[in-house]
Amino acid sequence: MAKKDLLSIYDLSNKEIKDLLKKAFELKSKKKHLDIFRGKSLGIMFEKPSTRTMVSFAVAMAQLGGTPIFLTAEKMQCSRGESIYDTSKVLSKYLNGLMIRAFKHEDILEFSKHCSIPVINGLTDYEHPCQILADIMTVMELFNTKNVEALKKIKIVYIGDSNNIANSLIAISAILGLDLTVISPSEYQVKNEILKQALQYAPKTKAEIKVTSDVNAAENADVIYTDVWTSMGFESEKVKRKKMFIPYQVNSELLKKASSKCIVLHCLPALRGEEVTSDIMEKHENSIFTQAENRLYVQKAVLLHFIK
Ligand code: CP
Ligand code: NVA
């Protein structure tokens, strides 16, 4: 049965992911504004900064005929101790959907439990499902296919911190049966429970999910994806992380190991000189900015799927 909320990639079935991607491509090719959500409102609530998620959800809702309502957690009564229960009950009376960017994944689970409206994860410490849908759309677009099955032949390498992005990428690879290698320093490797959950799908979907700390595993990669070494909320570890992640930088040396047609992805924001060098950002800006652009079409597809 279709879920009320999008909290994790695992809330979507293989078919739902394919349908969402198909819809996103359709919306991108038509570039037509629709009037489906006239009179409806989407809350977009942020506990931490955002550029792409905030603007793409707001524009998506507006272009579908609805109204985005910007909610900054620190300006709401929850910053003064109002409970998630009360906030959820009240927001459900006004809004038709609520997108939340939260520090703690448990908080979004709590909102989901008490909201009668759909709750969409706009990033937590655990997952970033809308980003990863846009990333898969981008890989399909750049490899010139609308067929998810064709992605199975593409070697995707994620290198860096095993964070929310890595977790969602692992989840979507498990469901779609993709070939994914995650390369991180041993101290920052994918958590056992994340891998265990993904590997449950492998016998059925033939997903190949490998986790290593060896950068040579980037050999013959068709896609190299990276993200910041220090995610929002982990700033106290910044100095330590900067030292440990240096061998995992996406630079021209690493790209030599990859396929000659390898594309580079970054969910952004990027810190040039840390997880990725400036020259690689420049050389691969088409894929990286297409990835950001595709957030808009994926958000629209997600809103059309979840908001009734
Ligand atoms: N990639 C992403 O979610 O960007 P923002 O933090 O700017 O929303
Ligand atoms: N992993 C990053 C992603 C930002 C879009 C973070 O959580 O800060």
Side-chain angles (χ1 to χ4, degrees):
M1 207 181 85
K3 296 266 177 83
K4 171 178 86 70
D5 306 310
L6 177 56
L7 309 177
S8 158
I9 283 289
Y10 289 114
D11 289 329
L12 298 168
S13 66
N14 179 298
K15 181 176 182 308
E16 283 172 322
I17 293 174
K18 287 176 180 161
D19 289 348
L20 281 171
L21 292 168
K22 193 171 162 213
K23 188 75 190 169
F25 275 117
E26 195 186 302
L27 290 160
K28 187 168 183 175
S29 71
K30 283 196 192 130
K31 291 228 165 82
K32 229 175 69 190
H33 297 187
L34 304 168
D35 210 16
I36 292 174
F37 290 147
R38 186 195 287 260
K40 296 197 170 164
S41 301
L42 173 75
I44 46 174
M45 181 174 165
F46 293 89
E47 287 181 2
K48 38 188 178 180
S50 171
T51 299
R52 282 143 288 269
T53 307
M54 178 173 64
V55 180
S56 59
F57 263 107
V59 173
M61 189 61 183
Q63 290 186 356
L64 291 171
T67 306
I69 310 284
F70 292 86
L71 303 167
T72 311
E74 66 195 25
K75 292 203 178 116
M76 294 169 70
Q77 296 291 9
C78 40
S79 67
R80 297 178 56 248
E82 185 168 22
S83 68
I84 292 181
Y85 179 88
D86 290 356
T87 308
S88 303
K89 292 283 173 194
V90 171
L91 292 181
S92 298
K93 301 281 182 201
Y94 306 138
L95 300 168
N96 303 94
L98 179 62
M99 189 237 77
I100 310 177
R101 169 164 290 193
F103 279 101
K104 290 194 280 178
H105 195 73
E106 301 87 73
D107 287 350
I108 206 169
L109 297 179
E110 182 87 2
F111 270 103
S112 148
K113 199 166 141 197
H114 304 302
C115 276
S116 57
I117 53 173
V119 175
I120 295 162
N121 180 352
L123 181 146
T124 62
D125 55 351
Y126 196 67
E127 271 214 48
H128 197 1
C130 300
Q131 173 71 53
I132 249 57
L133 289 165
D135 301 339
I136 296 299
M137 177 181 178
T138 307
V139 175
M140 291 169 77
E141 187 174 334
L142 297 175
F143 283 87
N144 224 353
T145 181
K146 297 264 166 71
N147 179 5
V148 172
E149 295 307 309
L151 294 184
K152 291 180 188 252
K153 287 192 234 118
I154 291 171
K155 177 173 174 174
I156 304 176
V157 169
Y158 174 90
I159 182 160
D161 185 23
S162 0
N163 55 18
N164 39 16
I165 294 290
N167 292 347
S168 292
L169 190 57
I170 290 171
I172 208 162
S173 301
I175 298 172
L176 296 180
L178 307 184
D179 177 353
L180 172 70
T181 303
V182 178
I183 311 176
S184 320
S186 20
E187 212 179 302
Y188 291 97
Q189 286 224 336
V190 178
K191 293 199 173 51
N192 278 338
E193 69 263 23
I194 301 275
L195 202 55
K196 218 171 123 192
Q197 189 176 13
L199 292 178
Q200 283 171 3
Y201 286 76
K204 192 171 165 210
T205 65
K206 306 276 180 289
E208 297 253 4
I209 298 170
K210 288 145 279 183
V211 166
T212 177
S213 53
D214 181 6
V215 293
N216 290 315
E219 204 168 30
N220 297 324
D222 299 300
V223 176
I224 289 193
Y225 189 168
T226 193
D227 182 19
V228 287
W229 292 337
T230 305
S231 285
M232 292 177 277
F234 294 84
E235 287 78 5
S236 64
E237 297 173 21
K238 198 171 170 60
V239 176
K240 181 183 167 201
R241 282 169 174 266
K242 221 170 152 174
K243 273 194 210 134
M244 297 205 62
F245 280 99
I246 287 169
Y248 298 85
Q249 185 185 59
V250 175
N251 53 31
S252 51
E253 275 311 297
L254 183 85
L255 265 292
K256 279 184 193 157
K257 299 183 200 295
S259 137
S260 56
K261 290 196 181 128
C262 180
I263 63 162
V264 173
L265 296 181
H266 195 309
C267 58
L268 301 176
L271 282 176
R272 288 167 173 77
E274 291 198 14
E275 75 277 3
V276 61
T277 53
S278 293
D279 60 323
I280 296 295
M281 281 296 289
E282 271 167 38
K283 194 168 165 210
H284 293 271
E285 71 166 40
N286 177 48
S287 51
I288 293 166
F289 292 134
T290 300
Q291 205 183 342
E293 179 191 0
N294 285 340
R295 296 290 306 276
L296 176 62
Y297 304 105
V298 161
Q299 321 303 32
K300 285 189 189 184
V302 164
L303 294 176
L304 289 167
H305 181 84
F306 284 93
I307 296 183
K308 302 290 173 239

